[in-house]
Amino acid sequence: MGKFFNTVAIAAIGTALITIRKKSKEKQKEERRKNMRCEFVDGFSQEEFNDAALAAGKRIKRLYDLHTDGPYVYGSVRSQSGLSTWQFMIDFNDYGHVTGRYWVFSDNYDSVIPKVVAERIKSSIESI
């Protein structure tokens, strides 16, 4: 019985090491993507991106601030009660290009507002 448990333990350790290595590679890949300097050279200018972001936020009543900084979109949203606010950031830097792929970071992952804004901007990017 001892050999069986040793084999199981070795297999579990091996699986854990593989998982750690995969996560490490994913983290490195994500860091490389984030650290690439994004330039608007693919037919979609910074001004068009800014305009797309502002247009994406229109008609969302609880969204009270939306601005861009390069390929990043920052938004502030009033809670449903109106007593507090929360923020989100949408990262459109896809290895130095604005392709329509995005990553959302939010204080409130239950809300669809950041995704709605991101999808509207994505549509604008893909239409050009």
Side-chain angles (χ1 to χ4, degrees):
M1 192 149 206
K3 289 182 182 181
F4 173 75
F5 287 114
N6 286 341
T7 304
V8 170
I10 290 170
I13 291 169
T15 301
L17 289 174
I18 290 169
T19 301
I20 290 169
R21 187 168 183 219
K22 282 182 182 177
K23 287 184 179 181
S24 176
K25 283 185 177 185
E26 289 171 10
K27 186 170 177 78
Q28 288 173 352
K29 187 177 177 182
E30 178 69 10
E31 286 301 314
R32 187 172 53 241
R33 181 193 67 76
K34 285 181 178 180
N35 291 331
M36 293 209 56
R37 186 170 188 272
C38 189
E39 298 182 15
F40 290 85
V41 295
D42 299 321
F44 197 74
S45 70
Q46 176 74 62
E47 292 77 27
E48 290 171 316
F49 183 77
N50 296 347
D51 293 344
L54 292 176
K58 291 192 178 196
R59 298 184 323 244
I60 299 177
K61 293 178 183 177
R62 292 176 34 218
L63 183 64
Y64 73 90
D65 181 41
L66 191 69
H67 64 277
T68 63
D69 182 12
Y72 308 106
V73 179
Y74 298 91
S76 297
V77 181
R78 285 187 191 85
S79 65
Q80 289 183 356
S81 68
L83 300 175
S84 63
T85 61
W86 55 271
Q87 283 72 41
F88 66 86
M89 190 266 285
I90 308 167
D91 178 355
F92 279 93
N93 182 2
D94 188 10
Y95 293 96
H97 301 275
V98 177
T99 63
R101 285 186 70 194
Y102 61 85
W103 292 262
V104 175
F105 305 92
S106 176
D107 293 340
N108 182 359
Y109 284 102
D110 292 333
S111 175
V112 298
I113 292 173
K115 183 161 176 60
V116 167
V117 171
E119 285 295 318
R120 288 178 180 177
I121 296 169
K122 177 182 176 177
S123 293
S124 294
I125 293 168
E126 290 175 344
S127 70
I128 297 225

Coordinates of all heavy atoms in Angstrom, one line a residue, residues 65-116:
D65 N -18.0 58.9 -16.3 CA -16.7 59.3 -16.7 C -16.1 58.2 -17.6 O -16.1 57.1 -17.3 CB -15.7 59.6 -15.6 CG -14.3 60.1 -16.1 OD1 -14.3 60.9 -17.0 OD2 -13.3 59.6 -15.5
L66 N -15.6 58.6 -18.8 CA -15.0 57.7 -19.7 C -13.9 58.4 -20.4 O -14.1 59.5 -21.0 CB -16.0 57.2 -20.7 CG -15.6 56.0 -21.6 CD1 -15.4 54.7 -20.7 CD2 -16.6 55.7 -22.7
H67 N -12.7 57.9 -20.3 CA -11.6 58.6 -21.0 C -10.5 57.5 -21.5 O -10.6 56.4 -21.0 CB -10.9 59.7 -20.2 CG -10.3 59.2 -18.9 ND1 -11.0 58.9 -17.8 CD2 -9.0 58.8 -18.6 CE1 -10.2 58.5 -16.8 NE2 -9.0 58.4 -17.3
T68 N -9.7 57.9 -22.4 CA -8.7 57.0 -22.9 C -7.3 57.5 -22.6 O -7.1 58.7 -22.3 CB -8.8 56.9 -24.4 OG1 -8.5 58.2 -25.0 CG2 -10.1 56.4 -24.9
D69 N -6.4 56.6 -22.6 CA -4.9 56.9 -22.4 C -4.2 55.9 -23.3 O -4.1 54.7 -22.9 CB -4.5 56.8 -21.0 CG -3.0 57.2 -20.8 OD1 -2.4 57.7 -21.7 OD2 -2.5 56.9 -19.7
G70 N -3.9 56.3 -24.5 CA -3.4 55.3 -25.5 C -4.4 54.2 -25.8 O -5.6 54.6 -26.1
P71 N -4.1 53.0 -25.7 CA -5.0 51.9 -26.0 C -5.9 51.5 -24.8 O -6.5 50.5 -24.9 CB -4.1 50.7 -26.4 CG -2.9 50.9 -25.6 CD -2.7 52.4 -25.5
Y72 N -5.9 52.3 -23.8 CA -6.6 51.9 -22.5 C -7.8 52.9 -22.4 O -7.7 54.1 -22.6 CB -5.7 52.1 -21.3 CG -4.4 51.3 -21.4 CD1 -3.2 52.0 -21.7 CD2 -4.4 49.9 -21.4 CE1 -2.0 51.3 -21.8 CE2 -3.2 49.2 -21.5 CZ -2.1 49.9 -21.7 OH -0.9 49.2 -21.9
V73 N -8.9 52.3 -22.0 CA -10.1 53.0 -21.7 C -10.5 52.9 -20.2 O -10.5 51.8 -19.7 CB -11.3 52.4 -22.6 CG1 -12.6 53.2 -22.3 CG2 -11.0 52.5 -24.0
Y74 N -10.7 54.0 -19.6 CA -11.0 54.0 -18.2 C -12.4 54.6 -18.0 O -12.8 55.6 -18.6 CB -10.0 54.9 -17.4 CG -8.6 54.4 -17.5 CD1 -7.7 54.9 -18.5 CD2 -8.1 53.5 -16.6 CE1 -6.4 54.4 -18.6 CE2 -6.8 53.1 -16.7 CZ -6.0 53.5 -17.7 OH -4.7 53.1 -17.8
G75 N -13.2 53.9 -17.1 CA -14.5 54.4 -16.9 C -14.9 54.4 -15.4 O -14.3 53.6 -14.7
S76 N -15.8 55.3 -15.1 CA -16.3 55.3 -13.7 C -17.8 55.2 -13.8 O -18.4 55.9 -14.6 CB -15.9 56.6 -13.0 OG -14.5 56.7 -12.9
V77 N -18.4 54.4 -12.9 CA -19.8 54.1 -13.0 C -20.4 54.3 -11.6 O -19.8 54.0 -10.6 CB -20.0 52.6 -13.4 CG1 -21.5 52.3 -13.5 CG2 -19.3 52.3 -14.7
R78 N -21.6 54.9 -11.6 CA -22.4 55.0 -10.3 C -23.0 53.7 -10.0 O -23.6 53.1 -11.0 CB -23.4 56.1 -10.5 CG -22.9 57.5 -10.4 CD -24.0 58.5 -10.4 NE -23.5 59.9 -10.6 CZ -23.2 60.4 -11.8 NH1 -23.6 59.7 -12.9 NH2 -22.7 61.6 -11.9
S79 N -23.1 53.4 -8.8 CA -23.8 52.1 -8.4 C -25.3 52.3 -8.7 O -25.8 53.5 -8.9 CB -23.6 51.8 -6.9 OG -24.1 52.8 -6.1
Q80 N -26.0 51.3 -8.7 CA -27.5 51.4 -8.9 C -28.2 52.2 -7.9 O -29.1 52.9 -8.2 CB -28.1 50.0 -9.0 CG -27.7 49.2 -10.2 CD -28.4 47.9 -10.3 OE1 -29.1 47.4 -9.4 NE2 -28.2 47.2 -11.4
S81 N -27.7 52.2 -6.6 CA -28.3 53.0 -5.6 C -27.9 54.5 -5.7 O -28.5 55.3 -5.1 CB -27.8 52.5 -4.2 OG -26.4 52.7 -4.0
G82 N -26.8 54.7 -6.4 CA -26.3 56.1 -6.6 C -25.4 56.5 -5.4 O -25.0 57.7 -5.3
L83 N -25.2 55.6 -4.4 CA -24.4 56.0 -3.2 C -22.9 55.8 -3.4 O -22.2 56.4 -2.6 CB -24.9 55.2 -2.0 CG -26.4 55.4 -1.7 CD1 -26.8 54.5 -0.6 CD2 -26.7 56.9 -1.3
S84 N -22.5 55.1 -4.3 CA -21.1 54.8 -4.5 C -20.7 54.7 -6.0 O -21.6 54.8 -6.8 CB -20.7 53.5 -3.8 OG -21.3 52.4 -4.4
T85 N -19.5 54.6 -6.3 CA -19.0 54.5 -7.6 C -18.0 53.3 -7.7 O -17.5 52.9 -6.7 CB -18.3 55.7 -8.1 OG1 -17.2 56.0 -7.3 CG2 -19.2 56.9 -8.1
W86 N -17.8 52.8 -8.9 CA -16.7 51.8 -9.1 C -16.1 52.1 -10.5 O -16.7 52.8 -11.3 CB -17.3 50.4 -9.0 CG -18.5 50.1 -9.9 CD1 -19.8 50.3 -9.6 CD2 -18.5 49.6 -11.2 NE1 -20.6 49.9 -10.6 CE2 -19.8 49.4 -11.6 CE3 -17.5 49.2 -12.1 CZ2 -20.1 48.9 -12.9 CZ3 -17.8 48.7 -13.3 CH2 -19.1 48.5 -13.7
Q87 N -14.9 51.6 -10.7 CA -14.2 51.8 -11.9 C -13.9 50.6 -12.7 O -13.9 49.5 -12.2 CB -12.8 52.5 -11.6 CG -12.9 53.9 -11.2 CD -13.5 54.2 -9.8 OE1 -13.2 53.4 -8.9 NE2 -14.4 55.2 -9.7
F88 N -13.6 50.8 -14.0 CA -13.1 49.7 -14.8 C -12.1 50.2 -15.8 O -11.9 51.4 -16.0 CB -14.3 49.0 -15.6 CG -15.0 49.9 -16.6 CD1 -14.5 50.0 -17.9 CD2 -16.1 50.6 -16.3 CE1 -15.1 50.8 -18.9 CE2 -16.7 51.4 -17.2 CZ -16.2 51.5 -18.5
M89 N -11.3 49.3 -16.4 CA -10.3 49.6 -17.4 C -10.4 48.5 -18.4 O -10.5 47.3 -18.1 CB -8.9 49.6 -16.7 CG -7.8 50.2 -17.7 SD -6.9 49.0 -18.7 CE -5.9 48.2 -17.5
I90 N -10.3 49.0 -19.7 CA -10.3 48.0 -20.8 C -9.0 48.2 -21.5 O -8.7 49.4 -21.9 CB -11.5 48.3 -21.8 CG1 -12.8 48.4 -21.0 CG2 -11.5 47.3 -22.9 CD1 -14.0 48.9 -21.8
D91 N -8.3 47.2 -21.7 CA -7.0 47.2 -22.3 C -7.1 46.7 -23.7 O -7.4 45.5 -24.0 CB -6.0 46.3 -21.5 CG -4.6 46.2 -22.0 OD1 -4.4 46.7 -23.1 OD2 -3.8 45.5 -21.4
F92 N -6.9 47.5 -24.7 CA -6.9 47.1 -26.1 C -5.5 46.9 -26.7 O -5.4 46.8 -27.9 CB -7.7 48.2 -27.0 CG -9.2 48.1 -26.9 CD1 -9.9 48.8 -25.9 CD2 -9.9 47.3 -27.7 CE1 -11.2 48.7 -25.8 CE2 -11.2 47.1 -27.6 CZ -11.9 47.9 -26.7
N93 N -4.5 46.9 -25.9 CA -3.1 46.7 -26.4 C -2.9 45.2 -26.7 O -2.7 44.4 -25.8 CB -2.1 47.2 -25.4 CG -0.7 47.0 -25.8 OD1 -0.4 46.6 -27.0 ND2 0.3 47.4 -25.0
D94 N -2.9 44.8 -27.9 CA -2.8 43.4 -28.3 C -1.4 43.3 -29.0 O -1.2 43.4 -30.2 CB -3.9 43.0 -29.3 CG -3.9 41.6 -29.7 OD1 -3.2 40.8 -29.0 OD2 -4.6 41.2 -30.6
Y95 N -0.4 43.1 -28.1 CA 1.0 43.0 -28.5 C 1.4 44.2 -29.4 O 2.0 44.0 -30.5 CB 1.3 41.7 -29.2 CG 1.2 40.5 -28.3 CD1 0.0 39.8 -28.3 CD2 2.2 40.1 -27.5 CE1 -0.2 38.7 -27.4 CE2 2.1 39.0 -26.7 CZ 0.9 38.3 -26.6 OH 0.8 37.2 -25.8
G96 N 1.1 45.4 -29.0 CA 1.5 46.6 -29.7 C 0.6 47.1 -30.8 O 0.9 48.1 -31.4
H97 N -0.6 46.4 -30.9 CA -1.5 46.8 -32.0 C -2.9 46.9 -31.4 O -3.2 46.2 -30.4 CB -1.5 45.8 -33.1 CG -0.2 45.6 -33.8 ND1 0.2 46.4 -34.8 CD2 0.8 44.7 -33.5 CE1 1.4 46.1 -35.1 NE2 1.8 45.0 -34.4
V98 N -3.7 47.7 -32.0 CA -5.2 47.8 -31.6 C -5.9 46.9 -32.6 O -6.1 47.4 -33.7 CB -5.6 49.2 -31.5 CG1 -7.1 49.3 -31.2 CG2 -4.8 50.0 -30.5
T99 N -6.3 45.7 -32.2 CA -6.9 44.8 -33.2 C -8.4 44.5 -32.9 O -9.1 43.9 -33.7 CB -6.2 43.4 -33.1 OG1 -6.4 42.9 -31.8 CG2 -4.7 43.5 -33.4
G100 N -8.8 45.0 -31.7 CA -10.2 44.7 -31.3 C -10.2 43.7 -30.2 O -11.2 43.6 -29.5
R101 N -9.1 43.0 -30.0 CA -9.0 42.1 -28.8 C -8.9 43.0 -27.6 O -8.2 44.0 -27.6 CB -7.8 41.2 -28.9 CG -8.1 40.0 -29.8 CD -6.9 39.0 -29.7 NE -7.0 38.3 -28.5 CZ -5.9 37.6 -28.0 NH1 -4.8 37.5 -28.7 NH2 -6.1 37.0 -26.8
Y102 N -9.5 42.6 -26.5 CA -9.4 43.4 -25.3 C -9.5 42.6 -24.0 O -9.9 41.4 -24.0 CB -10.6 44.5 -25.3 CG -12.0 43.8 -25.2 CD1 -12.5 43.4 -24.0 CD2 -12.7 43.6 -26.4 CE1 -13.8 42.9 -24.0 CE2 -13.9 43.1 -26.4 CZ -14.5 42.7 -25.2 OH -15.7 42.1 -25.2
W103 N -9.0 43.2 -22.9 CA -9.0 42.6 -21.6 C -9.7 43.6 -20.7 O -9.3 44.8 -20.7 CB -7.6 42.3 -21.2 CG -7.0 41.2 -22.0 CD1 -6.8 39.9 -21.7 CD2 -6.4 41.4 -23.3 NE1 -6.2 39.2 -22.7 CE2 -5.9 40.1 -23.7 CE3 -6.2 42.4 -24.2 CZ2 -5.3 39.9 -24.9 CZ3 -5.6 42.2 -25.4 CH2 -5.1 41.0 -25.8
V104 N -10.6 43.1 -19.9 CA -11.4 44.0 -19.0 C -10.9 43.8 -17.5 O -10.8 42.6 -17.1 CB -12.9 43.8 -19.1 CG1 -13.6 44.6 -18.0 CG2 -13.4 44.1 -20.5
F105 N -10.7 44.8 -16.8 CA -10.4 44.8 -15.4 C -11.4 45.7 -14.7 O -11.6 46.9 -15.1 CB -8.9 45.3 -15.1 CG -7.9 44.5 -15.9 CD1 -7.5 45.0 -17.2 CD2 -7.4 43.3 -15.5 CE1 -6.6 44.3 -18.0 CE2 -6.5 42.6 -16.2 CZ -6.1 43.1 -17.5
S106 N -12.1 45.2 -13.7 CA -13.2 45.9 -13.1 C -13.3 45.7 -11.6 O -12.9 44.7 -11.1 CB -14.5 45.5 -13.8 OG -15.6 46.1 -13.2
D107 N -13.8 46.8 -11.0 CA -14.1 46.7 -9.6 C -15.4 45.9 -9.4 O -15.7 45.5 -8.3 CB -14.3 48.0 -8.9 CG -13.0 48.8 -8.9 OD1 -11.9 48.2 -8.9 OD2 -13.0 50.1 -8.7
N108 N -16.2 45.7 -10.4 CA -17.5 45.1 -10.3 C -17.7 44.1 -11.5 O -18.2 44.5 -12.6 CB -18.6 46.1 -10.3 CG -20.0 45.5 -10.2 OD1 -20.1 44.3 -10.1 ND2 -21.0 46.4 -10.1
Y109 N -17.2 42.9 -11.4 CA -17.3 42.0 -12.5 C -18.7 41.5 -12.8 O -18.9 40.8 -13.8 CB -16.3 40.8 -12.3 CG -14.9 41.2 -12.6 CD1 -14.0 41.5 -11.6 CD2 -14.4 41.3 -13.9 CE1 -12.7 41.8 -11.8 CE2 -13.1 41.7 -14.2 CZ -12.2 41.9 -13.2 OH -11.0 42.3 -13.4
D110 N -19.6 41.8 -11.9 CA -21.0 41.4 -12.1 C -21.7 42.3 -13.1 O -22.8 41.9 -13.6 CB -21.8 41.4 -10.8 CG -21.3 40.3 -9.8 OD1 -20.8 39.3 -10.3 OD2 -21.4 40.5 -8.6
S111 N -21.2 43.5 -13.3 CA -21.8 44.4 -14.2 C -21.4 44.1 -15.7 O -20.3 43.8 -16.0 CB -21.4 45.9 -13.9 OG -21.9 46.8 -14.8
V112 N -22.4 44.4 -16.6 CA -22.1 44.2 -18.0 C -21.7 45.5 -18.7 O -21.3 45.5 -19.8 CB -23.4 43.7 -18.8 CG1 -23.8 42.4 -18.2 CG2 -24.5 44.7 -18.7
I113 N -21.6 46.6 -17.9 CA -21.3 47.9 -18.5 C -19.9 47.9 -19.2 O -19.8 48.3 -20.3 CB -21.4 49.0 -17.5 CG1 -22.9 49.2 -17.2 CG2 -20.8 50.3 -18.0 CD1 -23.2 50.2 -16.0
P114 N -18.8 47.4 -18.5 CA -17.5 47.4 -19.2 C -17.5 46.6 -20.5 O -16.9 47.0 -21.5 CB -16.6 46.8 -18.1 CG -17.3 47.1 -16.8 CD -18.7 47.0 -17.1
K115 N -18.2 45.4 -20.5 CA -18.2 44.6 -21.7 C -19.0 45.3 -22.8 O -18.6 45.2 -24.0 CB -18.8 43.2 -21.3 CG -18.8 42.3 -22.5 CD -19.0 40.9 -22.1 CE -19.0 39.9 -23.3 NZ -18.0 39.9 -24.2
V116 N -20.1 46.0 -22.5 CA -20.9 46.7 -23.5 C -20.0 47.8 -24.1 O -20.0 47.9 -25.3 CB -22.2 47.3 -22.9 CG1 -22.8 48.3 -23.8 CG2 -23.1 46.2 -22.5

